[in-house]
Amino acid sequence: MKRLKTYIPVLSVFCLALLVRVIYNVTVAQGYYPRYDAFLYYKIAGNMLTEHCYCYHGAVSTVSRSPLWSFIMAGIYAIVGWNANVVSGGNPLYPRLFYCFLGSGTCILIYLFARDLFGRRIGLVAGLIAAVYTGLFLYDGWLFTESLYTFLLTFFAYALYRLQISLPLYKQCENMRGLKGFWRRYTWSIVSGIVLGLMTLARPNGVGFLVLLIIWAVFVVRAYAVPWRVVAKNTMLLTCLAACLVAPWTIRNYRVSHSFVLVATGIGEVLLGSYNDGVLHGSAMWNPPKGSMIHDEIAYTPQRDAADTARAITWMRSHPAGVVYLMGQHLINMWKPLSYTFELSALPMGEFPNRLTSRILVLLIPIETWPIFAMAAVGLFVTLKRRWKQLVGVYLVLAFTIAENVLFYSNMRFRAPIEPLLVLLAGGALWWLFCNDPGTLRHWRSNKKGTPEAAEALPVDATHEVAEIPVP
């Protein structure tokens, strides 16, 4: 019975999150059919089953899209069935139901993360907020890669945190031999490496987190006084595992295109569509120049991708003031609670705008989003003062994602991967307001009044916090 009670919070968060997502998929998203990028992943998944190749145009193999989501969909349709003689091929509901479970898993990660940082009560509240927050379930009825990448990015941030707090305990496992000793020493390095590899296969920008890892490793050595060799071993293991997962796909891309393509082409098209005269003097954040080619076209090659990149960089060098202005617009646009583009119009609420449930959702999005933003801002401020060591990985992930959106282009879709971390920081604000730990508002007030409650409060140090969460 006692063991069952420990799982009640997790089950509560998961069940509520799953219920919300299923209701969303059978009401707002009922009859949804994938368009734009979603259709490309969907079509490639079908061709993997019918043409037995990773291809979009007939049986011609492509290197234009990251493979993970199409492979997952192909696995789903291999089980539930794909009818090549039907226009729709496979029912889009099945991968959306998969996203319901995956999105619920993201909510569990938020609960675990907030629980480890701020205690069980705040963890439960943060998990329940995540379960009903529109910024998290909105993409679980949409066959883009947002939900998959968001889950993996949240998992990576949490695994990096667990790795960080386990490294100072390396001496406890130093004398352990065999497979058990290896697992005890490198559990979270292995998990982080696998997740990073999957992130890169879900979106090509996952490889950029290698830079983040270097910064993180330097911080751990200095802040936790962990020997640099220990940190280097774990970081190298993490990186090698990620590389081993990505390498087979890179080799496949070389055989298909006879060029080095790490995961997928497209950066050149994105840059060229973000930085040109039409965007500078127009209202759209992304608008490719006339005559440019979309990277999903059969004639788009890695050489064309490199040429588009060079063309965009040339424009950026000749328009420095325009680049600064556009980057500022990207930053502003990223934080708009609700913004429609040609892609976002393919969201279920955009596909069926006249439904009552869609209209309710459109009203609900800003009502939920602005308070989360405000609480996350407060949480960022208060945790920077007291919990910055534990949350450095979260700060780096946030900074990297925001910088990435500023560099390329952004809308509510590209904010999606960091929505769980915003909820986590909102949990930090609740911790500061309602808990009595050192560094919170209540503790400060008690200390100011000189109450016995303040005298009994124990100082929080890195050793105490690390010891509370043992290595599995």
Side-chain angles (χ1 to χ4, degrees):
M1 183 61 69
K2 185 178 179 181
R3 190 174 182 83
L4 180 62
K5 287 182 178 179
T6 61
Y7 290 104
I8 288 177
V10 176
L11 291 173
S12 300
V13 170
F14 180 81
C15 291
L16 178 61
L18 185 62
L19 178 64
V20 168
R21 282 151 180 77
V22 170
I23 291 174
Y24 168 63
N25 269 280
V26 299
T27 55
V28 178
Q30 184 182 11
Y32 164 84
Y33 188 75
R35 293 189 289 158
Y36 303 121
D37 291 18
F39 180 77
L40 292 170
Y41 291 112
Y42 171 80
K43 182 67 174 178
I44 290 171
N47 284 343
M48 290 173 67
L49 298 174
T50 57
E51 303 293 338
H52 307 291
C53 70
Y54 191 86
C55 47
Y56 175 66
H57 300 279
V60 180
S61 295
T62 182
V63 295
S64 69
R65 291 284 160 179
S66 303
L68 186 58
W69 180 220
S70 291
F71 269 88
I72 291 174
M73 274 199 285
I76 293 170
Y77 285 121
I79 297 171
V80 301
W82 177 281
N83 189 347
N85 298 319
V86 180
V87 175
S88 60
N91 189 340
L93 178 62
Y94 294 118
R96 283 161 39 215
L97 289 177
F98 169 81
Y99 264 169
C100 289
F101 283 91
L102 196 70
S104 302
T106 303
C107 297
I108 289 178
L109 287 172
I110 296 169
Y111 160 73
L112 294 173
F113 212 157
R115 181 202 65 183
D116 291 352
L117 288 165
F118 309 120
R120 291 186 179 277
R121 287 182 296 175
I122 298 299
L124 179 59
V125 173
L128 295 176
I129 290 173
V132 299
Y133 178 42
T134 52
L136 288 176
F137 73 74
L138 187 64
Y139 305 100
D140 292 334
W142 202 38
L143 297 189
F144 277 56
T145 58
E146 263 57 41
S147 290
L148 175 61
Y149 186 75
T150 299
F151 172 80
L152 292 171
L153 183 63
T154 308
F155 200 170
F156 178 71
Y158 181 61
L160 204 61
Y161 160 74
R162 293 302 299 264
L163 172 60
Q164 175 180 311
I165 63 173
S166 68
L167 286 175
L169 300 175
Y170 74 98
K171 288 185 178 179
Q172 297 180 10
C173 308
E174 199 172 24
N175 297 324
M176 297 181 67
R177 296 288 182 264
L179 185 61
K180 183 179 180 181
F182 179 84
W183 177 249
R184 292 276 290 182
R185 286 192 296 273
Y186 299 111
T187 300
W188 290 105
S189 299
I190 294 170
V191 173
S192 300
I194 292 172
V195 174
L196 180 59
L198 294 176
M199 278 172 55
T200 307
L201 292 173
R203 276 191 185 173
N205 51 1
V207 70
F209 283 93
L210 292 176
V211 177
L212 179 151
L213 276 175
I214 296 173
I215 300 172
W216 172 85
V218 172
F219 163 82
V220 171
V221 171
R222 295 179 65 88
Y224 285 90
V226 179
W228 69 267
R229 289 184 179 179
V230 175
V231 178
K233 282 181 182 179
N234 281 270
T235 306
M236 287 298 296
L237 175 61
L238 190 165
T239 305
C240 289
L241 277 174
C244 287
L245 283 176
V246 177
W249 189 253
T250 305
I251 294 170
R252 175 263 178 196
N253 286 345
Y254 184 81
R255 290 177 175 175
V256 169
S257 65
H258 306 291
S259 302
F260 177 80
V261 179
L262 183 65
V263 178
T265 58
I267 287 182
E269 181 207 352
V270 172
L271 275 174
L272 187 60
S274 302
Y275 297 98
N276 57 70
D277 292 335
V279 173
L280 182 61
H281 302 297
S283 58
M285 286 288 99
W286 190 79
N287 186 21
K290 289 184 178 180
S292 60
M293 190 178 293
I294 303 301
H295 76 281
D296 293 299
E297 294 184 29
I298 195 170
Y300 196 92
T301 62
Q303 292 74 26
R304 181 63 182 258
D305 195 39
D308 284 349
T309 302
R311 186 178 168 188
I313 292 174
T314 299
W315 188 95
M316 294 169 73
R317 286 175 176 171
S318 61
H319 298 78
V323 171
V324 173
Y325 169 76
L326 289 175
M327 286 185 174
Q329 292 300 305
H330 295 167
L331 181 61
I332 294 170
N333 208 48
M334 176 184 176
W335 299 106
K336 291 181 179 178
L338 182 61
S339 57
Y340 275 110
T341 64
F342 72 96
E343 291 175 317
L344 293 170
S345 66
L347 276 166
M349 64 182 185
E351 197 167 318
F352 309 104
N354 295 323
R355 286 180 178 170
L356 176 61
T357 50
S358 296
R359 295 199 295 269
I360 293 173
L361 188 59
V362 169
L363 294 173
L364 189 61
I365 288 172
I367 292 174
E368 284 194 344
T369 303
W370 285 121
I372 291 295
F373 285 179
M375 291 172 65
V378 173
L380 177 64
F381 177 77
V382 298
T383 56
L384 274 170
K385 297 187 70 174
R386 193 69 188 185
R387 297 296 178 92
W388 63 275
K389 284 187 179 182
Q390 297 94 323
L391 282 166
V392 67
V394 172
Y395 301 149
L396 289 172
V397 169
L398 285 169
F400 177 84
T401 305
I402 292 170
E404 193 176 48
N405 290 345
V406 169
L407 175 61
F408 295 102
Y409 75 100
S410 62
N411 50 44
M412 59 184 286
R413 171 193 170 195
F414 296 107
R415 187 183 68 242
I418 60 171
E419 295 278 18
L421 301 183
L422 297 180
V423 174
L424 177 68
L425 290 177
L430 295 175
W431 163 79
W432 180 72
L433 285 170
F434 298 111
C435 292
N436 198 41
D437 301 333
T440 62
L441 180 63
R442 290 179 65 182
H443 181 267
W444 176 79
R445 286 179 174 175
S446 299
N447 193 35
K448 190 176 181 181
K449 293 176 181 178
T451 61
E453 201 174 35
E456 293 173 2
L458 294 174
V460 177
D461 56 28
T463 306
H464 175 68
E465 289 171 352
V466 167
E468 286 184 338
I469 307 173
V471 181

